[in-house]
RNA sequence: GUGGAUGUAGCUCAGGUGGUAGAGCACUGGAUUGUGGUUCCAGCGGUCGUGGGUUCAAAUCCCAUCAUCCACCCCA
């Protein structure tokens, strides 16, 4: 036997039963988004690398260390997209959509980050995202949170997730805060944990997230981001919170919540869960009022979220009852090859007249083996056709999941029996 | 990128101190030649992740390497 070919590290096959769960989750997002009047956009998986350099920030981990980038045949730098927002923003700029339309878009598809694989973290992973461009009022912030809440409710996950929300102000406020934070922390530099010491240079805002106790202690007296945020922004954020309260959407204000990409401004939010391991963020988003301009478009406000479908699927399988998965409703068995064409006639009749999923047994073998296949397929019925059924133009219907007695009905009455169940 | 654990039959896993590989489930056949899911009997199936080394002898000891899982980091 030849050596087996392994899939690429961090890339995985999603087998039918898991695929069904993923489809269930994607369908929930799609259905809710469509009812909120969001439109689907299909975006390329490969983009110019500098779209992400500029859009997400060159110092972010996703760009600096985790990008799947490569040279095209003409030596231009390309990258597999690590997220969807930058592509979406590029698209609305390229098609001049922002001016007249105020587009509300959603997308679904694979994203790529070259990270070390772990529970809930793969190098190719699935996201559903939505973005709204040109809306600056607080109601749109509320609406997107509401959309996601509705999806989680529909999937029965609302009890296992927590919504964290914060206001991080605009880029200027954040940069002032960053300076103040660094200035405050510098004297304590030696007392910080090693990670935080590193981040003092690379990404100071992340220090706020530290789990180290001494670091946390030092942070108690540190400057607060909210003291640097403009009055307008604070007011706006308060309105968003009021709307959430009025809609009884429970949320926690998380001072330490900062997002991983540079483009975020003002409202940011994230749903976390404690049921799926260390990678606990299942959906996150926020405003990005500077992104369109950064990418060469006219100043346009934006807001969106991205949901990690693989992680939501993990959560779903951890909390929900087992999916009742089966591929087949009706299993058709011909006793001998002579009944093959009669069997096809039966199959066509069921497929055309109902939504039932029909499988014909195609292999030779004895009756017992065929019945075993019928059972394993998960089908509710075995429909059997032998010589006598064919000559009398009827079929035998056997219930595989109940004690109901096998019955023989004329072909024209078959659908009635199947649909009655 | 760093650390820990694990790789033996399709799957889940046994195989103290080296002696030439096992169970359960699954699969195939039979008991039951037009009836599955229960039972009984029989059978198929493994260069023990890969490559080196030590040894008369390696699944077992040593080295390297790959992969998976979990955590750090980061993030959806």
């Amino acid at each position: 036997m030849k050596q087996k070919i392994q899939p690429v590290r961090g890339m995985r096959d999603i087998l039918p039963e898991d695929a069904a769960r993923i489809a269930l989750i994607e369908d929930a997002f799609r259905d809710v988004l469509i009812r909120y009047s969001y439109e689907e956009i299909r975006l390329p998986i490969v983009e110019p690398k500098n779209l992400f350099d500029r859009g997400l920030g060159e110092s972010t981990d996703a760009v600096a260390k985790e990008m799947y980038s490569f040279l095209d045949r003409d030596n231009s730098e390309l990258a597999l997209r690590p997220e969807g927002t930058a592509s979406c923003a590029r698209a609305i700029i390229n098609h001049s959509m922002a001016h007249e339309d105020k587009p509300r878009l959603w997308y679904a598809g694979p994203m790529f980050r070259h990270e070390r694989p772990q529970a809930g973290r793969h190098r190719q992973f699935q996201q559903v995202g939505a973005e709204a461009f040109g809306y600056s009022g607080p109601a749109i912030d509320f609406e997107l949170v509401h959309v996601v809440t509705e999806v989680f409710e529909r999937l029965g996950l609302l009890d296992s997730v927590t919504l964290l929300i914060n206001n991080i102000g605009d880029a200027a406020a954040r940069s002032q805060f960053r300076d103040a934070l660094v200035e405050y922390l510098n004297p304590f530099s030696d007392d910080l944990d090693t990670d935080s010491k590193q981040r003092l240079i690379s990404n100071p805002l992340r220090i706020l997230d530290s789990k180290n106790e001494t670091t946390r202690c030092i942070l108690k007296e540190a400057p607060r981001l909210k003291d640097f945020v403009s009055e307008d922004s604070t007011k706006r954020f308060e309105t968003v919170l009021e709307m959430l309260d009025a809609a009884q959407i429970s949320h926690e204000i998380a001072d330490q919540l900062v997002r991983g990409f540079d483009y975020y401004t003002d409202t940011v939010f994230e749903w976390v869960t404690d049921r799926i391991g260390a990678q606990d963020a299942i959906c996150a988003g926020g405003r990005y009022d500077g992104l369109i301009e950064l990418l060469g478009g006219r100043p346009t406000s934006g807001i969106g979220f991205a949901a990690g479908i693989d992680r939501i699927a993990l959560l779903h399988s951890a909390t929900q009852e087992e999916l009742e998965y089966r591929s087949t409703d009706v299993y058709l068995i011909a006793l001998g090859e002579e009944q093959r064409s009669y069997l096809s006639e039966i199959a066509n009749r069921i497929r055309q007249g109902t939504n039932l999923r029909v499988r014909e047994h195609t292999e030779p073998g004895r009756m017992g083996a065929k019945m075993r296949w019928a059972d394993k397929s998960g089908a509710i019925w075995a429909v059997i056709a032998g010589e006598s059924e064919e000559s009398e133009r009827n079929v035998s219907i056997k219930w595989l999941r109940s004690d109901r007695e096998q019955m023989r009905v004329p072909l024209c009455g078959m659908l009635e029996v199947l649909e009655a169940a």
Side-chain angles (χ1 to χ4, degrees):
Chain A
M1 206 162 71
K2 294 228 172 88
Q3 181 98 39
K4 278 188 224 164
I5 296 177
Q6 300 282 352
V8 174
R9 188 180 173 100
M11 316 266 171
R12 65 196 179 124
D13 302 310
I14 294 169
L15 302 180
E17 203 165 336
D18 288 327
R21 193 186 293 279
I22 288 200
L24 181 88
I25 292 162
E26 282 178 341
D27 288 351
F29 273 100
R30 196 188 57 228
D31 292 350
V32 173
L33 281 162
I34 287 174
R35 286 192 305 102
Y36 277 77
S37 177
Y38 284 74
E39 297 178 277
E40 183 177 12
I41 184 168
R42 305 238 177 176
L43 299 161
I45 287 171
V46 179
E47 293 275 8
K49 177 170 177 293
N50 66 7
L51 170 64
F52 304 115
D53 293 342
R54 270 209 265 165
L56 315 192
E58 284 188 89
S59 63
T60 59
D61 275 23
V63 168
K65 308 197 286 207
E66 299 167 359
M67 194 122 82
Y68 269 98
S69 56
F70 54 96
L71 291 180
D72 200 357
R73 287 168 190 243
D74 63 1
N75 284 332
S76 54
E77 282 193 294
L78 304 180
L80 302 184
R81 60 182 184 186
E83 58 102 58
T85 302
S87 297
C88 205
R90 178 198 51 67
I92 73 134
I93 294 167
N94 290 149
H95 302 284
S96 309
M97 290 169 77
H99 312 302
E100 54 229 63
D101 294 344
K102 291 189 186 297
R104 300 147 64 85
L105 303 169
W106 69 271
Y107 56 83
M111 306 295 165
F112 301 84
R113 292 182 203 169
H114 195 280
E115 301 177 274
R116 190 80 166 249
Q118 193 184 330
R121 188 167 81 182
H122 303 95
R123 288 181 178 184
Q124 175 178 339
F125 58 102
Q126 206 70 16
Q127 281 190 342
V128 170
E131 320 282 351
F133 297 92
Y135 302 84
S136 48
I140 194 72
D141 303 28
F142 167 75
E143 182 182 271
L144 280 166
V145 171
H146 198 251
V147 163
V148 177
T149 303
E150 201 168 316
V151 172
F152 286 156
E153 184 167 20
R154 180 167 154 171
L155 293 170
L157 300 176
L158 214 45
D159 293 340
S160 11
V161 301
T162 305
L163 168 60
L164 306 176
I165 189 162
N166 193 21
N167 182 20
I168 60 171
D170 59 15
R174 237 170 21 259
S175 128
Q176 280 170 26
F177 169 66
R178 188 182 298 115
D179 293 347
L181 184 66
V182 171
E183 194 178 329
Y184 166 82
L185 287 174
N186 261 330
F188 299 103
S189 170
D190 290 339
D191 303 325
L192 293 174
D193 59 286
T194 31
D195 282 334
S196 295
K197 216 180 292 179
Q198 196 70 43
R199 287 187 283 212
L200 200 48
I201 298 144
S202 62
N203 194 352
L205 295 189
R206 279 266 152 220
I207 299 174
L208 302 176
D209 250 342
S210 174
K211 287 153 201 154
N212 182 278
E213 221 169 289
T214 5
T215 303
R216 294 218 63 80
C217 199
I218 294 168
L219 283 171
K220 275 186 192 149
E221 300 291 314
R224 302 267 161 196
L225 174 55
K226 60 178 165 212
D227 297 327
F228 292 78
V229 171
S230 73
E231 206 175 308
D232 282 354
S233 175
T234 304
K235 231 181 199 165
R236 191 181 176 291
F237 185 57
E238 275 162 11
T239 311
V240 175
L241 296 180
E242 280 162 20
M243 289 168 142
L244 292 175
D245 285 333
Q248 298 187 319
I249 294 176
S250 60
H251 54 276
E252 282 176 27
I253 296 170
D255 292 329
Q256 81 289 353
L257 181 67
V258 292
R259 299 244 47 86
F261 302 134
D262 288 353
Y263 56 60
Y264 284 108
T265 54
D266 297 317
T267 312
V268 295
F269 48 85
E270 175 172 298
W271 281 265
V272 295
T273 174
D274 56 8
R275 308 288 300 272
I276 59 168
Q279 304 303 315
D280 59 0
I282 57 171
C283 181
R287 299 196 64 84
Y288 43 85
D289 290 340
L291 179 62
I292 303 289
E293 200 176 356
L294 194 67
L295 294 175
R298 268 197 232 167
T300 305
S301 56
I303 179 168
F305 69 79
I309 301 304
D310 310 69
R311 289 183 188 174
I312 295 173
L314 273 183
L315 178 61
H316 192 263
S317 62
T319 57
Q320 305 303 104
E321 284 178 36
E322 203 137 314
L323 271 192
E324 215 179 290
Y325 177 77
R326 58 168 206 275
S327 61
T328 311
D329 299 308
V330 188
Y331 200 97
L332 299 189
I333 294 171
L335 273 178
E337 281 310 301
E338 303 76 31
Q339 288 88 43
R340 177 65 55 199
S341 68
Y342 182 51
L343 199 73
S344 294
E345 187 186 338
I346 298 167
N348 288 339
R349 198 177 270 246
I350 303 173
R351 291 197 185 103
Q352 280 162 19
T354 71
N355 287 323
L356 296 168
R357 295 164 297 180
V358 180
R359 187 191 303 194
E360 291 174 62
H361 188 91
T362 53
E363 301 306 300
R366 62 189 180 86
M367 186 63 175
K370 291 175 181 173
M371 285 301 298
R372 198 151 59 239
W373 277 88
D375 183 50
K376 277 200 318 188
S377 77
I380 301 168
W381 303 276
V383 170
I384 302 155
E387 206 173 326
S388 76
E389 280 91 345
E390 182 175 17
S391 62
E392 293 168 31
R393 299 283 295 166
N394 57 29
V395 295
S396 295
I397 299 178
K398 182 183 174 71
W399 272 259
L400 296 171
R401 312 289 151 203
S402 77
D403 293 332
R404 257 181 94 167
E405 201 147 334
Q406 178 169 328
M407 59 194 289
R408 192 144 162 178
V409 297
L411 199 51
C412 56
M414 175 180 65
L415 296 188
E416 223 170 294
V417 176
L418 298 181
E419 284 186 314

